[in-house]
Amino acid sequence: VTDTFYANLIYDLIARDHIGDDYIQTVNKLHYHEFFLRDCADIVHSYDVTGYPEIARQDLQFFAKSQQSDGNFLSQSQQYDGWGEAVWGYAQHYRLTRDKAFAEWALPQIDHAVAWLKQARAADPLHIMPASDVRDNEFVPGHLTGYNFLALSGLRLAIDMARETGHPDLAQAWQAEYDDYRTTFLKVLDAQAAAHNGYIPPALDGQKGGYDWGNLLAVVPEPTLEPHDPRVPATLKA
């Protein structure tokens, strides 16, 4: 078990590309030799919890190059899970390191990202994370459930970072957005879960099909739903 653990850590380190001033965390050196916000956020977290915060910080600095001019974090077209992964990646790093200099670097990016989120939600018919047609992972078009859980996870943790680093104005504004977003999203989720015998579906537009992929992001990396919320065991059972 120990050898397997260290082998996985080493494979992640091997997958880092050092190009110029950038440390680019790719998924591996083979088929997925590419930067994905979703994978990198989880890999960075593995560095943070195993005692390599400097490596984590180097990887996180490359996240900024995926922030679009409108504020969205996007590494691949329509893959809106990147928004939540980037914001959570920044905030979880601060939670574990208490690196205030890093927080001051990250907070303006998050504020720009929240501005995009507010505009995107306002323009969306369900007022949640916009729909996509990526045909990957969940493999179904529509408003993907996991994208919303990830966004709420990231925003929730970012609020704590803003508050703890002396930015009550940001914390208050982001809390208002979080509360409105969570309330709106849960209404949509309630309706879809009720139509599926309590099961949390991959997408939220009433369509059938799709693969179970991001459904249980309901409880990780941050618990939007409590682990014993009836929808969680219903999804596990399904």
Side-chain angles (χ1 to χ4, degrees), residues 14-231:
I14 289 171
R16 294 209 315 159
D17 290 345
H18 186 193
I19 302 174
D21 294 330
D22 294 324
Y23 289 88
I24 307 168
Q25 181 69 61
T26 71
V27 181
N28 55 48
K29 292 294 190 182
L30 305 172
H31 182 66
Y32 289 105
H33 187 207
E34 187 178 350
F35 172 78
F36 292 82
L37 282 165
R38 82 165 66 86
D39 299 79
C40 192
D42 290 334
I43 294 170
V44 161
H45 185 57
S46 77
Y47 295 147
D48 273 330
V49 298
T50 52
Y52 299 93
E54 179 62 19
I55 292 173
R57 183 189 59 78
Q58 290 171 346
D59 283 358
L60 286 167
Q61 287 177 324
F62 189 72
F63 280 35
K65 295 196 172 183
S66 289
Q67 187 164 39
Q68 309 297 297
S69 59
D70 58 9
N72 189 20
F73 281 100
L74 195 69
S75 54
Q76 282 76 30
S77 176
Q78 296 190 61
Q79 295 189 16
Y80 299 126
D81 53 341
W83 192 99
E85 292 282 20
V87 174
W88 177 79
Y90 284 165
Q92 70 81 25
H93 180 71
Y94 171 75
R95 176 169 60 180
L96 291 170
T97 65
R98 301 297 172 183
D99 185 341
K100 291 190 175 180
F102 174 83
E104 294 301 324
W105 173 83
L107 286 168
Q109 297 175 51
I110 297 174
D111 196 37
H112 194 192
V114 173
W116 174 85
L117 179 67
K118 292 177 70 172
Q119 292 181 351
R121 289 184 54 234
D124 183 78
L126 299 182
H127 303 299
I128 58 177
M129 189 63 75
S132 62
D133 190 6
V134 177
R135 300 302 174 112
D136 188 17
N137 300 339
E138 291 88 350
F139 212 78
V140 62
H143 293 81
L144 298 186
T145 310
Y147 286 11
N148 290 277
F149 281 131
L150 284 169
L152 289 165
S153 288
L155 189 53
R156 174 178 175 175
L157 209 56
I159 292 164
D160 292 339
M161 179 169 65
R163 185 179 297 113
E164 292 170 12
T165 54
H167 297 276
D169 52 335
L170 291 179
Q172 184 177 4
W174 297 352
Q175 185 69 59
E177 175 62 16
Y178 177 87
D179 291 342
D180 183 73
Y181 184 9
R182 187 177 188 275
T183 298
T184 303
F185 168 66
L186 288 181
K187 287 180 180 177
V188 176
L189 182 67
D190 288 345
Q192 289 302 312
H196 290 81
N197 297 315
Y199 156 78
I200 299 172
L204 299 164
D205 305 272
Q207 67 272 60
K208 294 182 179 180
Y211 293 108
D212 297 313
W213 183 270
N215 320 46
L216 290 181
L217 292 167
V219 290
V220 294
E222 310 300 324
T224 300
L225 301 181
E226 291 302 316
H228 294 289
D229 181 291
R231 290 165 290 193

